[in-house]
Each structure stands twice: as structure tokens, then as C-alpha cells.
Amino acid sequence: MSHARSGDNGILGGVPKSLDELPPPGTRRWVIRRKAEVVAGVRAGLITLEEACKRYSLSVEEFLSWQRSIDRHGLRGLRTTRIQDYRSIDRVEPDEKSPHS
């Protein structure tokens, strides 16, 4: 098996050990590795969800979507070009009616 320094949760580079190993505050360009590091940091208790959202100007929903993507599709689920493909799998089909319709 050939993983590029895969650690806990399949995160590239493993779980961050300190805040210095997380992306810098104010990060705007979110590549797979950076998203995965933030999710790993929150899961490891290095930073709280609230602190991460404030530090990176993220909504809770955006962070949770990264977490769900990792859980459902692995790191490749974090690729921005694939988000719509993966989200469409999770969506209710338009012809399916909700019980509240």
C-alpha cells in the first residue's frame, strides 16, 4: 500500500501535534491537505470546532461538510472539483417527496 505519509484517519502527514502544524490563521486557499489537517486537529482535540471556525472564517456547516466528505469518501472527497459529484450522491432525488410536502 502506497500512501504519502498517511497517519490517523488517512490524513496526509498524520494528525497535527500542535497549533503550529495547522494551516495559518486566515488561510483562504483550501487544498485537500489543509482541510484534512483542520479536521484532524479538531478530532484530536487540538482545537475546538468553534476555534477552528473563527481562526479560518469558516461556517460550522462548511467544516462539517469537510468532515462528512472525509468520512464518506476519504480524502478524495475533499477535492473541490468533486464536491458536486459526491453531494449529488447524498441528496434526495427531485422526484422523491418528503413526508412534509
Side-chain angles (χ1 to χ4, degrees):
M1 189 185 275
S2 166
H3 289 282
R5 292 180 8 195
S6 182
D8 295 349
N9 300 322
I11 305 302
L12 294 174
V15 176
K17 306 278 189 273
S18 73
L19 288 177
D20 290 337
E21 292 182 16
L22 291 175
T27 295
R28 296 276 182 236
R29 187 166 179 268
W30 288 104
V31 296
I32 292 170
R33 177 184 51 80
R34 290 179 184 150
K35 292 176 187 179
E37 288 169 347
V38 173
V39 170
V42 170
R43 286 182 168 172
L46 188 60
I47 187 171
T48 67
L49 171 61
E50 294 77 18
E51 290 167 338
C53 288
K54 183 176 180 181
R55 179 178 171 122
Y56 301 113
S57 300
L58 301 172
S59 68
V60 171
E61 181 52 41
E62 184 171 16
F63 173 86
L64 294 176
S65 75
W66 295 353
Q67 191 167 259
R68 279 191 306 271
S69 292
I70 290 172
D71 292 343
R72 292 178 181 165
H73 309 289
L75 292 178
R76 65 188 189 136
L78 293 174
R79 289 181 55 200
T80 56
T81 57
R82 305 302 274 163
I83 287 174
Q84 288 304 318
D85 293 340
Y86 296 129
R87 285 191 182 158
S88 67
I89 292 169
D90 299 328
R91 257 189 261 151
V92 174
E93 293 300 316
D95 59 333
E96 292 180 29
K97 303 256 189 226
S98 112
H100 304 289
S101 299

